[in-house]
Amino acid sequence: MRSNLIVSGSPHIYKNESIPKIMWAVVLSVIPAGIAGVIIFGLDALWVILVAVTAAVLTELVFGLWTKKKITIFDGTAVITGILLAYNLPPNVPLWLPVVGAVFSIAIGKQVFGGLGQNIFNPALVGRVFLMASWPKYMITFAKPFSYDAVTAATPLAALKEGKILEHISYLDLFLGKRGGCIGEVCILALLIGAVFLLIRGYISWHIPVTYISTTAVLTYIFGGTHLFNGDWLFHVLNGGLILGAFFMATDYVATPLTARGQLIFGVGCGVFTVVIRLWGGYPEGVSYAILMMNAATPFIDRYTKNRIYGTR
């Protein structure tokens, strides 16, 4: 007689979610930021996004065929990696650059570790820092917003790093994306629309984004001014890739801590490293490196913040 009782290992809580469903929801959430990037920087930004996504998907396909594993190009993971890589690039880079970055992201950042669920770093950020280390002149040349004729301009953070006064840039301009920067990081409004969508759907929690942003705000207020406790914290929150990183890359399911306590530590660590790099490091921006360093610390955070087993002390 066939038994209807099935005994299986944990977890025993079933939820009607799947990796493709979650990943395509994340893809949907970042579309407003991409549309804003194309409006602000022109069709060059669109080409960078399309090329990065195509290269990421094709690399995923090649690895699937080569290793004779299940083809995973339709689960959305390669697509979101390509999009996030493109969002971390200036809009006027040569098109071979997103190809190289996407191949590196998928091949080295993901497949070398065993594929989906095995990578210890965010693959898109691995590709981004590789491009930054290899071809920095393309990665620090930014297009001027709403100027579609290849006019370049420094980002506000880069200008601040050089000691220039930024009186002509308002907080509203920063919020709407009227500044130089990478494709997907400039329009805070569009990023927050996608972030709210993910929070409402429960695909990300508040722990990492809130602690990351608030730690950055507090530390830049204390140490970011000419003397203690007069730093322009809102300028640092609205600039660079902080909002993009806090909501869409620091919340990577695979490379971040499992518990709420661990995620709070992760967010604080990201904020500390970002501020250290911005205020005292060689780069005007530090989001990518901060998240990668905390990705490396995730196994240790998980070890010391794991939940107590029921019935034990």
Side-chain angles (χ1 to χ4, degrees):
M1 184 178 70
R2 181 179 177 182
S3 174
N4 290 325
L5 298 176
I6 301 174
V7 179
S8 64
S10 60
H12 301 294
I13 300 175
Y14 176 76
K15 195 172 183 181
N16 187 26
E17 298 289 357
S18 65
I19 292 174
K21 187 177 179 180
I22 295 172
M23 289 298 106
W24 287 114
V26 177
V27 170
L28 183 63
S29 73
V30 296
I31 286 177
I35 294 173
V38 173
I39 293 173
I40 294 168
F41 297 118
L43 290 178
D44 287 348
L46 179 61
W47 281 113
V48 171
I49 296 170
L50 293 177
V51 168
V53 171
T54 303
V57 171
L58 289 177
T59 306
E60 182 94 346
L61 176 63
V62 169
F63 262 87
L65 295 173
W66 182 27
T67 58
K68 298 180 180 178
K69 292 183 177 179
K70 181 182 177 181
I71 302 300
T72 55
I73 60 173
F74 300 109
D75 65 9
T77 55
V79 174
I80 192 61
T81 297
I83 291 176
L84 290 178
L85 172 68
Y87 282 14
N88 280 279
L89 299 178
N92 50 344
V93 296
L95 291 180
W96 58 264
L97 203 73
V99 173
V100 174
V103 172
F104 195 88
S105 294
I106 298 295
I108 306 300
K110 179 180 177 182
Q111 296 294 342
V112 161
F113 293 98
L116 179 63
Q118 306 299 318
N119 51 289
I120 60 174
F121 299 105
N122 182 296
L125 290 180
V126 171
R128 201 257 183 188
V129 298
F130 171 69
L131 296 179
M132 189 71 185
S134 302
W135 296 279
K137 71 174 184 178
Y138 294 121
M139 298 294 288
I140 59 174
T141 304
F142 297 96
K144 190 175 182 180
F146 301 106
S147 178
Y148 307 132
D149 51 358
V151 177
T152 60
T155 66
L157 282 176
L160 184 67
K161 197 78 173 181
E162 296 169 359
K164 296 179 181 177
I165 300 175
L166 301 171
E167 295 177 345
H168 60 288
I169 298 180
S170 68
Y171 293 134
L172 182 61
D173 287 343
L174 297 176
F175 186 72
L176 297 177
K178 296 179 181 178
R179 62 177 173 90
C182 295
I183 294 171
E185 72 179 22
V186 291
C187 185
I188 306 303
L189 173 62
L191 289 168
L192 291 180
I193 291 173
V196 169
F197 170 74
L198 292 179
L199 288 168
I200 291 176
R201 295 294 298 270
Y203 292 142
I204 63 172
S205 70
W206 61 268
H207 301 85
I208 292 176
V210 169
T211 50
Y212 189 175
I213 295 169
S214 60
T215 300
T216 303
V218 170
L219 292 181
T220 51
Y221 171 68
I222 297 174
F223 301 108
T226 52
H227 52 270
L228 290 179
F229 299 102
N230 80 332
D232 192 346
W233 61 271
L234 187 54
F235 175 85
H236 281 276
V237 169
L238 296 177
N239 260 299
L242 179 61
I243 302 300
L244 174 65
F247 285 101
F248 299 99
M249 293 184 290
T251 52
D252 186 331
Y253 283 1
V254 179
T256 52
L258 297 171
T259 65
R261 281 191 303 152
Q263 292 173 2
L264 294 175
I265 295 171
F266 185 93
V268 171
C270 285
V272 170
F273 283 126
T274 297
V275 173
V276 168
I277 294 171
R278 283 188 179 186
L279 298 185
W280 301 292
Y283 288 108
E285 172 63 299
V287 169
S288 299
Y289 296 100
I291 295 174
L292 289 175
M293 283 188 278
M294 290 309 296
N295 284 160
T298 292
F300 298 98
I301 296 174
D302 275 337
R303 177 179 299 176
Y304 294 106
T305 59
K306 61 184 178 183
N307 291 324
R308 180 177 62 87
I309 299 174
Y310 183 74
T312 64
R313 293 185 177 180

